[in-house]
Amino acid sequence: MNLNEEHEVLLSEQPAHLWRRRKLELMHWTERDKHTVAAKKTEIWNGIEVDAELVKALSILQSAGVRTEFSCAGVSPLDEPVDHSLYAYVTLIQSEVADQFVHYALRRMRNRLLVTLEAEKGRYDLSSFFIGHNRSFCWWMEHCALQFGSRNESSEKSVE
């Protein structure tokens, strides 16, 4: 094995028909006319500019002890359809609590969530599976983070 090679382990299990649908969606996206309807909404979070759609999810994850590294709300026909990641994503630093969150999110989001683990870098990449689900990915990340954080708070209170 070349030491410079990066290996990603796919943790989500989308069926073959969804991978075909994803490829078709990508092909349609690249061929369609793209017009900016509105500027991407961003906010300053922890001293860096992030997409507004992910601020609450990032804050909740941070409160739950999950460290994040990168994020993007992805492209959307509703705002800037170019110059952003095609897929919405959040990168988590691997830890015990991040492991737990990833498994929780996989159970909740199922085929909507694409998860890879970059073991050499110690991080998870969580992304929307379809471009058309980028905004719902942001909502689901927030929802899962909130439920996960509440679940952890409840278990901590029961230990006290």
Side-chain angles (χ1 to χ4, degrees):
M1 177 172 88
N2 183 342
L3 291 178
N4 294 328
E5 284 184 49
E6 291 184 28
H7 292 279
E8 292 184 350
V9 178
L10 182 63
L11 300 178
S12 50
E13 298 179 10
Q14 284 77 6
H17 76 277
L18 290 182
W19 283 102
R20 288 190 297 274
R21 179 177 155 199
R22 178 182 163 112
K23 187 176 183 178
L24 187 61
E25 179 196 46
L26 179 58
M27 187 175 68
H28 286 138
W29 179 264
T30 56
E31 293 174 357
R32 74 184 280 264
D33 289 336
K34 297 167 191 71
H35 305 282
T36 300
V37 176
K40 179 75 79 172
K41 296 178 193 106
T42 61
E43 294 181 22
I44 300 300
W45 180 78
N46 286 348
I48 57 171
E49 188 175 23
V50 299
D51 291 338
E53 294 89 352
L54 288 168
V55 169
K56 285 183 183 175
L58 296 173
S59 296
I60 297 165
L61 286 170
Q62 183 180 45
S63 295
V66 178
R67 291 179 36 227
T68 60
E69 188 173 19
F70 307 109
S71 66
C72 182
V75 297
S76 170
L78 303 176
D79 49 45
E80 293 183 29
V82 292
D83 296 331
H84 293 277
S85 171
L86 281 180
Y87 299 95
Y89 69 90
V90 175
T91 302
L92 310 179
I93 304 300
Q94 190 179 19
S95 67
E96 186 177 331
V97 70
D99 296 345
Q100 293 169 1
F101 176 74
V102 166
H103 292 294
Y104 180 78
L106 278 167
R107 283 193 309 275
R108 295 301 309 269
M109 293 176 70
R110 298 188 180 120
N111 290 331
R112 291 178 158 270
L113 181 62
L114 180 64
V115 179
T116 57
L117 170 63
E118 295 177 272
E120 290 85 9
K121 292 186 178 181
R123 66 183 181 203
Y124 290 103
D125 291 313
L126 286 68
S127 69
S128 58
F129 192 70
F130 295 113
I131 297 168
H133 291 174
N134 283 343
R135 291 304 173 264
S136 67
F137 169 86
C138 297
W139 181 89
W140 271 104
M141 275 290 104
E142 182 179 330
H143 179 74
C144 285
L146 189 60
Q147 296 298 313
F148 178 79
S150 297
R151 197 180 76 162
N152 282 353
E153 286 175 13
S154 297
S155 65
E156 286 173 9
K157 287 179 183 174
S158 66
V159 171
E160 295 172 358

